Amino acid sequence: MQFIEKFFSKYSEEKLTKWFHQICFAEAVSWCFLFSAMIWIRYERDALLPTIYIIIVGNIHGLFFSLYLLLLTSARKIFKWDDEDTVFAVISAFFPFATIWVEKKLARFDRE
């Protein structure tokens, strides 16, 4: 964990906050594209185009998922989350569109 904190320490809190909000939104949007790929591949199992689409969308979603988890360490310090909030933010990465809720409710400075 030290290398992640060391890497992100060279960026300002404003920049990390902006990145975290953007990654939360991008991860949720990539869920939507992943669902569309799953529906498409369900109806055209043997076609090549849906297979290529699901591979590309899956990789993009995996990238945003990984970036979200990496930025959680910085977000925890910036937004002063306790252990419960951090665990909830990690678990929300596994549920569709839950990162939008994290971005709207947990990632705020005026939260009580």
Side-chain angles (χ1 to χ4, degrees), residues 64-97:
F64 290 142
F65 176 82
S66 300
L67 288 173
Y68 174 79
L69 292 178
L70 284 174
L71 284 171
L72 275 179
T73 57
S74 305
R76 179 182 180 162
K77 287 186 175 186
I78 293 171
F79 298 113
K80 297 174 180 66
W81 290 344
D82 57 359
D83 291 338
E84 182 181 324
D85 292 336
T86 305
V87 168
F88 184 78
V90 168
I91 291 172
S92 71
F94 295 96
F95 292 98
F97 311 112

PDB file of all heavy atoms in Angstrom, residues 64-97:
ATOM      1  N   PHE A  64     -11.409   0.387 -15.485  1.00  0.00           N
ATOM      2  CA  PHE A  64     -12.064   1.352 -14.598  1.00  0.00           C
ATOM      3  C   PHE A  64     -12.262   0.786 -13.194  1.00  0.00           C
ATOM      4  O   PHE A  64     -12.125   1.502 -12.203  1.00  0.00           O
ATOM      5  CB  PHE A  64     -13.401   1.805 -15.179  1.00  0.00           C
ATOM      6  CG  PHE A  64     -13.266   2.683 -16.389  1.00  0.00           C
ATOM      7  CD1 PHE A  64     -14.142   2.567 -17.443  1.00  0.00           C
ATOM      8  CD2 PHE A  64     -12.271   3.629 -16.479  1.00  0.00           C
ATOM      9  CE1 PHE A  64     -14.031   3.374 -18.559  1.00  0.00           C
ATOM     10  CE2 PHE A  64     -12.134   4.444 -17.592  1.00  0.00           C
ATOM     11  CZ  PHE A  64     -13.020   4.314 -18.635  1.00  0.00           C
ATOM     12  N   PHE A  65     -12.564  -0.496 -13.093  1.00  0.00           N
ATOM     13  CA  PHE A  65     -12.710  -1.157 -11.801  1.00  0.00           C
ATOM     14  C   PHE A  65     -11.387  -1.103 -11.035  1.00  0.00           C
ATOM     15  O   PHE A  65     -11.362  -0.757  -9.844  1.00  0.00           O
ATOM     16  CB  PHE A  65     -13.161  -2.606 -12.030  1.00  0.00           C
ATOM     17  CG  PHE A  65     -13.253  -3.424 -10.787  1.00  0.00           C
ATOM     18  CD1 PHE A  65     -14.370  -3.341  -9.976  1.00  0.00           C
ATOM     19  CD2 PHE A  65     -12.240  -4.298 -10.434  1.00  0.00           C
ATOM     20  CE1 PHE A  65     -14.467  -4.098  -8.830  1.00  0.00           C
ATOM     21  CE2 PHE A  65     -12.330  -5.058  -9.294  1.00  0.00           C
ATOM     22  CZ  PHE A  65     -13.447  -4.964  -8.488  1.00  0.00           C
ATOM     23  N   SER A  66     -10.287  -1.397 -11.709  1.00  0.00           N
ATOM     24  CA  SER A  66      -8.972  -1.374 -11.065  1.00  0.00           C
ATOM     25  C   SER A  66      -8.582   0.045 -10.648  1.00  0.00           C
ATOM     26  O   SER A  66      -8.048   0.251  -9.551  1.00  0.00           O
ATOM     27  CB  SER A  66      -7.915  -1.938 -12.003  1.00  0.00           C
ATOM     28  OG  SER A  66      -8.219  -3.264 -12.342  1.00  0.00           O
ATOM     29  N   LEU A  67      -8.844   1.010 -11.512  1.00  0.00           N
ATOM     30  CA  LEU A  67      -8.542   2.403 -11.161  1.00  0.00           C
ATOM     31  C   LEU A  67      -9.370   2.876  -9.968  1.00  0.00           C
ATOM     32  O   LEU A  67      -8.878   3.601  -9.103  1.00  0.00           O
ATOM     33  CB  LEU A  67      -8.778   3.317 -12.361  1.00  0.00           C
ATOM     34  CG  LEU A  67      -7.763   3.208 -13.490  1.00  0.00           C
ATOM     35  CD1 LEU A  67      -8.209   4.046 -14.680  1.00  0.00           C
ATOM     36  CD2 LEU A  67      -6.394   3.639 -13.018  1.00  0.00           C
ATOM     37  N   TYR A  68     -10.630   2.456  -9.919  1.00  0.00           N
ATOM     38  CA  TYR A  68     -11.491   2.802  -8.785  1.00  0.00           C
ATOM     39  C   TYR A  68     -10.894   2.255  -7.489  1.00  0.00           C
ATOM     40  O   TYR A  68     -10.811   2.971  -6.486  1.00  0.00           O
ATOM     41  CB  TYR A  68     -12.902   2.249  -9.018  1.00  0.00           C
ATOM     42  CG  TYR A  68     -13.826   2.417  -7.843  1.00  0.00           C
ATOM     43  CD1 TYR A  68     -14.437   3.637  -7.589  1.00  0.00           C
ATOM     44  CD2 TYR A  68     -14.092   1.367  -6.980  1.00  0.00           C
ATOM     45  CE1 TYR A  68     -15.281   3.807  -6.514  1.00  0.00           C
ATOM     46  CE2 TYR A  68     -14.943   1.521  -5.905  1.00  0.00           C
ATOM     47  CZ  TYR A  68     -15.535   2.737  -5.669  1.00  0.00           C
ATOM     48  OH  TYR A  68     -16.361   2.900  -4.593  1.00  0.00           O
ATOM     49  N   LEU A  69     -10.480   0.998  -7.506  1.00  0.00           N
ATOM     50  CA  LEU A  69      -9.905   0.408  -6.296  1.00  0.00           C
ATOM     51  C   LEU A  69      -8.584   1.064  -5.919  1.00  0.00           C
ATOM     52  O   LEU A  69      -8.289   1.230  -4.727  1.00  0.00           O
ATOM     53  CB  LEU A  69      -9.724  -1.095  -6.483  1.00  0.00           C
ATOM     54  CG  LEU A  69     -11.017  -1.907  -6.572  1.00  0.00           C
ATOM     55  CD1 LEU A  69     -10.694  -3.374  -6.800  1.00  0.00           C
ATOM     56  CD2 LEU A  69     -11.869  -1.738  -5.330  1.00  0.00           C
ATOM     57  N   LEU A  70      -7.788   1.457  -6.904  1.00  0.00           N
ATOM     58  CA  LEU A  70      -6.534   2.144  -6.597  1.00  0.00           C
ATOM     59  C   LEU A  70      -6.771   3.532  -6.011  1.00  0.00           C
ATOM     60  O   LEU A  70      -6.063   3.958  -5.095  1.00  0.00           O
ATOM     61  CB  LEU A  70      -5.667   2.260  -7.854  1.00  0.00           C
ATOM     62  CG  LEU A  70      -4.955   0.996  -8.305  1.00  0.00           C
ATOM     63  CD1 LEU A  70      -4.260   1.237  -9.633  1.00  0.00           C
ATOM     64  CD2 LEU A  70      -3.956   0.545  -7.266  1.00  0.00           C
ATOM     65  N   LEU A  71      -7.758   4.234  -6.530  1.00  0.00           N
ATOM     66  CA  LEU A  71      -8.031   5.593  -6.045  1.00  0.00           C
ATOM     67  C   LEU A  71      -8.751   5.601  -4.691  1.00  0.00           C
ATOM     68  O   LEU A  71      -8.839   6.648  -4.053  1.00  0.00           O
ATOM     69  CB  LEU A  71      -8.838   6.373  -7.076  1.00  0.00           C
ATOM     70  CG  LEU A  71      -8.030   6.864  -8.274  1.00  0.00           C
ATOM     71  CD1 LEU A  71      -8.952   7.435  -9.343  1.00  0.00           C
ATOM     72  CD2 LEU A  71      -7.021   7.906  -7.847  1.00  0.00           C
ATOM     73  N   LEU A  72      -9.252   4.455  -4.264  1.00  0.00           N
ATOM     74  CA  LEU A  72      -9.918   4.401  -2.956  1.00  0.00           C
ATOM     75  C   LEU A  72      -8.964   4.725  -1.812  1.00  0.00           C
ATOM     76  O   LEU A  72      -9.379   5.313  -0.813  1.00  0.00           O
ATOM     77  CB  LEU A  72     -10.539   3.028  -2.719  1.00  0.00           C
ATOM     78  CG  LEU A  72     -11.922   2.806  -3.275  1.00  0.00           C
ATOM     79  CD1 LEU A  72     -12.371   1.385  -2.983  1.00  0.00           C
ATOM     80  CD2 LEU A  72     -12.908   3.786  -2.719  1.00  0.00           C
ATOM     81  N   THR A  73      -7.704   4.346  -1.950  1.00  0.00           N
ATOM     82  CA  THR A  73      -6.746   4.642  -0.884  1.00  0.00           C
ATOM     83  C   THR A  73      -6.565   6.147  -0.712  1.00  0.00           C
ATOM     84  O   THR A  73      -6.482   6.637   0.411  1.00  0.00           O
ATOM     85  CB  THR A  73      -5.389   3.978  -1.172  1.00  0.00           C
ATOM     86  OG1 THR A  73      -4.904   4.428  -2.431  1.00  0.00           O
ATOM     87  CG2 THR A  73      -5.529   2.468  -1.192  1.00  0.00           C
ATOM     88  N   SER A  74      -6.535   6.864  -1.818  1.00  0.00           N
ATOM     89  CA  SER A  74      -6.413   8.322  -1.745  1.00  0.00           C
ATOM     90  C   SER A  74      -7.712   8.951  -1.261  1.00  0.00           C
ATOM     91  O   SER A  74      -7.696   9.892  -0.471  1.00  0.00           O
ATOM     92  CB  SER A  74      -6.065   8.891  -3.110  1.00  0.00           C
ATOM     93  OG  SER A  74      -4.925   8.300  -3.614  1.00  0.00           O
ATOM     94  N   ALA A  75      -8.837   8.427  -1.748  1.00  0.00           N
ATOM     95  CA  ALA A  75     -10.133   8.986  -1.356  1.00  0.00           C
ATOM     96  C   ALA A  75     -10.367   8.815   0.137  1.00  0.00           C
ATOM     97  O   ALA A  75     -10.970   9.676   0.778  1.00  0.00           O
ATOM     98  CB  ALA A  75     -11.248   8.321  -2.147  1.00  0.00           C
ATOM     99  N   ARG A  76      -9.899   7.720   0.691  1.00  0.00           N
ATOM    100  CA  ARG A  76     -10.079   7.503   2.131  1.00  0.00           C
ATOM    101  C   ARG A  76      -9.397   8.607   2.936  1.00  0.00           C
ATOM    102  O   ARG A  76      -9.962   9.111   3.903  1.00  0.00           O
ATOM    103  CB  ARG A  76      -9.507   6.146   2.516  1.00  0.00           C
ATOM    104  CG  ARG A  76      -9.635   5.891   3.985  1.00  0.00           C
ATOM    105  CD  ARG A  76      -9.051   4.598   4.426  1.00  0.00           C
ATOM    106  NE  ARG A  76      -9.248   4.513   5.874  1.00  0.00           N
ATOM    107  CZ  ARG A  76      -9.178   3.429   6.545  1.00  0.00           C
ATOM    108  NH1 ARG A  76      -8.912   2.294   5.940  1.00  0.00           N
ATOM    109  NH2 ARG A  76      -9.361   3.439   7.840  1.00  0.00           N
ATOM    110  N   LYS A  77      -8.202   8.984   2.526  1.00  0.00           N
ATOM    111  CA  LYS A  77      -7.493  10.053   3.243  1.00  0.00           C
ATOM    112  C   LYS A  77      -8.107  11.421   2.973  1.00  0.00           C
ATOM    113  O   LYS A  77      -8.236  12.238   3.878  1.00  0.00           O
ATOM    114  CB  LYS A  77      -6.028  10.055   2.843  1.00  0.00           C
ATOM    115  CG  LYS A  77      -5.261   8.911   3.412  1.00  0.00           C
ATOM    116  CD  LYS A  77      -3.804   9.044   3.101  1.00  0.00           C
ATOM    117  CE  LYS A  77      -3.047   7.934   3.786  1.00  0.00           C
ATOM    118  NZ  LYS A  77      -1.623   8.071   3.660  1.00  0.00           N
ATOM    119  N   ILE A  78      -8.474  11.676   1.733  1.00  0.00           N
ATOM    120  CA  ILE A  78      -9.000  12.990   1.374  1.00  0.00           C
ATOM    121  C   ILE A  78     -10.340  13.259   2.055  1.00  0.00           C
ATOM    122  O   ILE A  78     -10.565  14.327   2.618  1.00  0.00           O
ATOM    123  CB  ILE A  78      -9.128  13.119  -0.158  1.00  0.00           C
ATOM    124  CG1 ILE A  78      -7.744  13.130  -0.805  1.00  0.00           C
ATOM    125  CG2 ILE A  78      -9.907  14.358  -0.542  1.00  0.00           C
ATOM    126  CD1 ILE A  78      -7.758  13.032  -2.307  1.00  0.00           C
ATOM    127  N   PHE A  79     -11.249  12.275   2.006  1.00  0.00           N
ATOM    128  CA  PHE A  79     -12.588  12.468   2.565  1.00  0.00           C
ATOM    129  C   PHE A  79     -12.706  12.032   4.020  1.00  0.00           C
ATOM    130  O   PHE A  79     -13.783  12.078   4.592  1.00  0.00           O
ATOM    131  CB  PHE A  79     -13.621  11.724   1.707  1.00  0.00           C
ATOM    132  CG  PHE A  79     -13.690  12.236   0.302  1.00  0.00           C
ATOM    133  CD1 PHE A  79     -13.297  11.448  -0.753  1.00  0.00           C
ATOM    134  CD2 PHE A  79     -14.131  13.519   0.042  1.00  0.00           C
ATOM    135  CE1 PHE A  79     -13.351  11.908  -2.053  1.00  0.00           C
ATOM    136  CE2 PHE A  79     -14.187  14.005  -1.251  1.00  0.00           C
ATOM    137  CZ  PHE A  79     -13.795  13.200  -2.302  1.00  0.00           C
ATOM    138  N   LYS A  80     -11.588  11.576   4.609  1.00  0.00           N
ATOM    139  CA  LYS A  80     -11.521  11.178   6.019  1.00  0.00           C
ATOM    140  C   LYS A  80     -12.554  10.097   6.355  1.00  0.00           C
ATOM    141  O   LYS A  80     -13.337  10.231   7.294  1.00  0.00           O
ATOM    142  CB  LYS A  80     -11.671  12.393   6.924  1.00  0.00           C
ATOM    143  CG  LYS A  80     -10.556  13.390   6.743  1.00  0.00           C
ATOM    144  CD  LYS A  80     -10.806  14.639   7.542  1.00  0.00           C
ATOM    145  CE  LYS A  80      -9.708  15.638   7.363  1.00  0.00           C
ATOM    146  NZ  LYS A  80      -9.578  16.193   6.037  1.00  0.00           N
ATOM    147  N   TRP A  81     -12.539   9.037   5.553  1.00  0.00           N
ATOM    148  CA  TRP A  81     -13.456   7.925   5.788  1.00  0.00           C
ATOM    149  C   TRP A  81     -12.940   7.064   6.927  1.00  0.00           C
ATOM    150  O   TRP A  81     -11.742   6.860   7.081  1.00  0.00           O
ATOM    151  CB  TRP A  81     -13.576   7.046   4.549  1.00  0.00           C
ATOM    152  CG  TRP A  81     -14.290   7.677   3.404  1.00  0.00           C
ATOM    153  CD1 TRP A  81     -15.074   8.780   3.425  1.00  0.00           C
ATOM    154  CD2 TRP A  81     -14.276   7.237   2.046  1.00  0.00           C
ATOM    155  NE1 TRP A  81     -15.548   9.052   2.169  1.00  0.00           N
ATOM    156  CE2 TRP A  81     -15.077   8.118   1.310  1.00  0.00           C
ATOM    157  CE3 TRP A  81     -13.655   6.182   1.394  1.00  0.00           C
ATOM    158  CZ2 TRP A  81     -15.282   7.975  -0.053  1.00  0.00           C
ATOM    159  CZ3 TRP A  81     -13.863   6.029   0.035  1.00  0.00           C
ATOM    160  CH2 TRP A  81     -14.675   6.918  -0.670  1.00  0.00           C
ATOM    161  N   ASP A  82     -13.865   6.517   7.701  1.00  0.00           N
ATOM    162  CA  ASP A  82     -13.478   5.525   8.691  1.00  0.00           C
ATOM    163  C   ASP A  82     -13.467   4.146   8.027  1.00  0.00           C
ATOM    164  O   ASP A  82     -13.679   4.026   6.819  1.00  0.00           O
ATOM    165  CB  ASP A  82     -14.415   5.564   9.895  1.00  0.00           C
ATOM    166  CG  ASP A  82     -15.876   5.354   9.531  1.00  0.00           C
ATOM    167  OD1 ASP A  82     -16.178   5.187   8.336  1.00  0.00           O
ATOM    168  OD2 ASP A  82     -16.709   5.346  10.447  1.00  0.00           O
ATOM    169  N   ASP A  83     -13.227   3.111   8.803  1.00  0.00           N
ATOM    170  CA  ASP A  83     -13.126   1.764   8.228  1.00  0.00           C
ATOM    171  C   ASP A  83     -14.440   1.300   7.625  1.00  0.00           C
ATOM    172  O   ASP A  83     -14.460   0.636   6.585  1.00  0.00           O
ATOM    173  CB  ASP A  83     -12.682   0.766   9.302  1.00  0.00           C
ATOM    174  CG  ASP A  83     -11.249   0.999   9.727  1.00  0.00           C
ATOM    175  OD1 ASP A  83     -10.492   1.603   8.941  1.00  0.00           O
ATOM    176  OD2 ASP A  83     -10.886   0.578  10.843  1.00  0.00           O
ATOM    177  N   GLU A  84     -15.547   1.651   8.238  1.00  0.00           N
ATOM    178  CA  GLU A  84     -16.865   1.239   7.734  1.00  0.00           C
ATOM    179  C   GLU A  84     -17.148   1.845   6.358  1.00  0.00           C
ATOM    180  O   GLU A  84     -17.619   1.156   5.456  1.00  0.00           O
ATOM    181  CB  GLU A  84     -17.941   1.658   8.726  1.00  0.00           C
ATOM    182  CG  GLU A  84     -19.336   1.244   8.333  1.00  0.00           C
ATOM    183  CD  GLU A  84     -20.356   1.713   9.354  1.00  0.00           C
ATOM    184  OE1 GLU A  84     -20.052   1.723  10.553  1.00  0.00           O
ATOM    185  OE2 GLU A  84     -21.467   2.075   8.932  1.00  0.00           O
ATOM    186  N   ASP A  85     -16.858   3.118   6.201  1.00  0.00           N
ATOM    187  CA  ASP A  85     -17.063   3.771   4.906  1.00  0.00           C
ATOM    188  C   ASP A  85     -16.162   3.179   3.828  1.00  0.00           C
ATOM    189  O   ASP A  85     -16.581   2.986   2.687  1.00  0.00           O
ATOM    190  CB  ASP A  85     -16.794   5.277   5.012  1.00  0.00           C
ATOM    191  CG  ASP A  85     -17.809   5.993   5.859  1.00  0.00           C
ATOM    192  OD1 ASP A  85     -18.941   5.481   5.987  1.00  0.00           O
ATOM    193  OD2 ASP A  85     -17.485   7.060   6.400  1.00  0.00           O
ATOM    194  N   THR A  86     -14.923   2.875   4.200  1.00  0.00           N
ATOM    195  CA  THR A  86     -13.989   2.308   3.234  1.00  0.00           C
ATOM    196  C   THR A  86     -14.431   0.921   2.785  1.00  0.00           C
ATOM    197  O   THR A  86     -14.404   0.611   1.591  1.00  0.00           O
ATOM    198  CB  THR A  86     -12.577   2.231   3.840  1.00  0.00           C
ATOM    199  OG1 THR A  86     -12.216   3.529   4.300  1.00  0.00           O
ATOM    200  CG2 THR A  86     -11.569   1.752   2.829  1.00  0.00           C
ATOM    201  N   VAL A  87     -14.860   0.099   3.720  1.00  0.00           N
ATOM    202  CA  VAL A  87     -15.337  -1.243   3.367  1.00  0.00           C
ATOM    203  C   VAL A  87     -16.573  -1.143   2.486  1.00  0.00           C
ATOM    204  O   VAL A  87     -16.724  -1.880   1.504  1.00  0.00           O
ATOM    205  CB  VAL A  87     -15.613  -2.075   4.645  1.00  0.00           C
ATOM    206  CG1 VAL A  87     -16.383  -3.344   4.324  1.00  0.00           C
ATOM    207  CG2 VAL A  87     -14.314  -2.401   5.343  1.00  0.00           C
ATOM    208  N   PHE A  88     -17.470  -0.218   2.808  1.00  0.00           N
ATOM    209  CA  PHE A  88     -18.657  -0.033   1.982  1.00  0.00           C
ATOM    210  C   PHE A  88     -18.282   0.411   0.570  1.00  0.00           C
ATOM    211  O   PHE A  88     -18.870  -0.062  -0.407  1.00  0.00           O
ATOM    212  CB  PHE A  88     -19.601   0.989   2.622  1.00  0.00           C
ATOM    213  CG  PHE A  88     -20.879   1.142   1.865  1.00  0.00           C
ATOM    214  CD1 PHE A  88     -21.884   0.201   1.983  1.00  0.00           C
ATOM    215  CD2 PHE A  88     -21.060   2.212   1.016  1.00  0.00           C
ATOM    216  CE1 PHE A  88     -23.061   0.331   1.273  1.00  0.00           C
ATOM    217  CE2 PHE A  88     -22.228   2.357   0.298  1.00  0.00           C
ATOM    218  CZ  PHE A  88     -23.226   1.410   0.434  1.00  0.00           C
ATOM    219  N   ALA A  89     -17.299   1.293   0.444  1.00  0.00           N
ATOM    220  CA  ALA A  89     -16.868   1.754  -0.879  1.00  0.00           C
ATOM    221  C   ALA A  89     -16.219   0.615  -1.665  1.00  0.00           C
ATOM    222  O   ALA A  89     -16.414   0.515  -2.881  1.00  0.00           O
ATOM    223  CB  ALA A  89     -15.894   2.916  -0.735  1.00  0.00           C
ATOM    224  N   VAL A  90     -15.472  -0.247  -1.003  1.00  0.00           N
ATOM    225  CA  VAL A  90     -14.857  -1.388  -1.697  1.00  0.00           C
ATOM    226  C   VAL A  90     -15.934  -2.368  -2.149  1.00  0.00           C
ATOM    227  O   VAL A  90     -15.930  -2.838  -3.293  1.00  0.00           O
ATOM    228  CB  VAL A  90     -13.829  -2.086  -0.782  1.00  0.00           C
ATOM    229  CG1 VAL A  90     -13.397  -3.418  -1.372  1.00  0.00           C
ATOM    230  CG2 VAL A  90     -12.621  -1.198  -0.555  1.00  0.00           C
ATOM    231  N   ILE A  91     -16.884  -2.670  -1.273  1.00  0.00           N
ATOM    232  CA  ILE A  91     -17.950  -3.614  -1.626  1.00  0.00           C
ATOM    233  C   ILE A  91     -18.834  -3.053  -2.730  1.00  0.00           C
ATOM    234  O   ILE A  91     -19.309  -3.798  -3.595  1.00  0.00           O
ATOM    235  CB  ILE A  91     -18.772  -3.979  -0.372  1.00  0.00           C
ATOM    236  CG1 ILE A  91     -17.915  -4.826   0.571  1.00  0.00           C
ATOM    237  CG2 ILE A  91     -20.050  -4.727  -0.732  1.00  0.00           C
ATOM    238  CD1 ILE A  91     -18.541  -5.096   1.905  1.00  0.00           C
ATOM    239  N   SER A  92     -19.041  -1.756  -2.749  1.00  0.00           N
ATOM    240  CA  SER A  92     -19.901  -1.159  -3.781  1.00  0.00           C
ATOM    241  C   SER A  92     -19.308  -1.282  -5.179  1.00  0.00           C
ATOM    242  O   SER A  92     -20.032  -1.172  -6.167  1.00  0.00           O
ATOM    243  CB  SER A  92     -20.179   0.305  -3.461  1.00  0.00           C
ATOM    244  OG  SER A  92     -19.012   1.079  -3.658  1.00  0.00           O
ATOM    245  N   ALA A  93     -18.014  -1.535  -5.282  1.00  0.00           N
ATOM    246  CA  ALA A  93     -17.398  -1.722  -6.597  1.00  0.00           C
ATOM    247  C   ALA A  93     -17.904  -2.988  -7.279  1.00  0.00           C
ATOM    248  O   ALA A  93     -17.841  -3.097  -8.497  1.00  0.00           O
ATOM    249  CB  ALA A  93     -15.884  -1.775  -6.463  1.00  0.00           C
ATOM    250  N   PHE A  94     -18.426  -3.919  -6.506  1.00  0.00           N
ATOM    251  CA  PHE A  94     -18.871  -5.195  -7.053  1.00  0.00           C
ATOM    252  C   PHE A  94     -20.350  -5.201  -7.442  1.00  0.00           C
ATOM    253  O   PHE A  94     -20.822  -6.186  -7.991  1.00  0.00           O
ATOM    254  CB  PHE A  94     -18.597  -6.320  -6.048  1.00  0.00           C
ATOM    255  CG  PHE A  94     -17.136  -6.528  -5.804  1.00  0.00           C
ATOM    256  CD1 PHE A  94     -16.503  -5.937  -4.719  1.00  0.00           C
ATOM    257  CD2 PHE A  94     -16.385  -7.278  -6.682  1.00  0.00           C
ATOM    258  CE1 PHE A  94     -15.153  -6.116  -4.498  1.00  0.00           C
ATOM    259  CE2 PHE A  94     -15.030  -7.462  -6.475  1.00  0.00           C
ATOM    260  CZ  PHE A  94     -14.408  -6.874  -5.380  1.00  0.00           C
ATOM    261  N   PHE A  95     -21.055  -4.130  -7.153  1.00  0.00           N
ATOM    262  CA  PHE A  95     -22.472  -4.045  -7.484  1.00  0.00           C
ATOM    263  C   PHE A  95     -22.685  -3.011  -8.585  1.00  0.00           C
ATOM    264  O   PHE A  95     -22.070  -1.938  -8.570  1.00  0.00           O
ATOM    265  CB  PHE A  95     -23.300  -3.673  -6.247  1.00  0.00           C
ATOM    266  CG  PHE A  95     -23.313  -4.756  -5.215  1.00  0.00           C
ATOM    267  CD1 PHE A  95     -22.460  -4.712  -4.131  1.00  0.00           C
ATOM    268  CD2 PHE A  95     -24.168  -5.831  -5.357  1.00  0.00           C
ATOM    269  CE1 PHE A  95     -22.461  -5.722  -3.195  1.00  0.00           C
ATOM    270  CE2 PHE A  95     -24.176  -6.851  -4.411  1.00  0.00           C
ATOM    271  CZ  PHE A  95     -23.315  -6.794  -3.336  1.00  0.00           C
ATOM    272  N   PRO A  96     -23.571  -3.305  -9.525  1.00  0.00           N
ATOM    273  CA  PRO A  96     -23.790  -2.385 -10.646  1.00  0.00           C
ATOM    274  C   PRO A  96     -24.261  -1.004 -10.179  1.00  0.00           C
ATOM    275  O   PRO A  96     -25.164  -0.898  -9.358  1.00  0.00           O
ATOM    276  CB  PRO A  96     -24.865  -3.075 -11.477  1.00  0.00           C
ATOM    277  CG  PRO A  96     -24.804  -4.500 -11.089  1.00  0.00           C
ATOM    278  CD  PRO A  96     -24.333  -4.533  -9.670  1.00  0.00           C
ATOM    279  N   PHE A  97     -23.628   0.006 -10.686  1.00  0.00           N
ATOM    280  CA  PHE A  97     -23.990   1.418 -10.496  1.00  0.00           C
ATOM    281  C   PHE A  97     -23.868   1.904  -9.053  1.00  0.00           C
ATOM    282  O   PHE A  97     -24.292   3.010  -8.738  1.00  0.00           O
ATOM    283  CB  PHE A  97     -25.398   1.702 -11.033  1.00  0.00           C
ATOM    284  CG  PHE A  97     -25.624   1.174 -12.413  1.00  0.00           C
ATOM    285  CD1 PHE A  97     -26.490   0.128 -12.640  1.00  0.00           C
ATOM    286  CD2 PHE A  97     -24.950   1.713 -13.494  1.00  0.00           C
ATOM    287  CE1 PHE A  97     -26.692  -0.376 -13.909  1.00  0.00           C
ATOM    288  CE2 PHE A  97     -25.135   1.215 -14.770  1.00  0.00           C
ATOM    289  CZ  PHE A  97     -26.012   0.168 -14.982  1.00  0.00           C
TER     290      PHE A  97
END
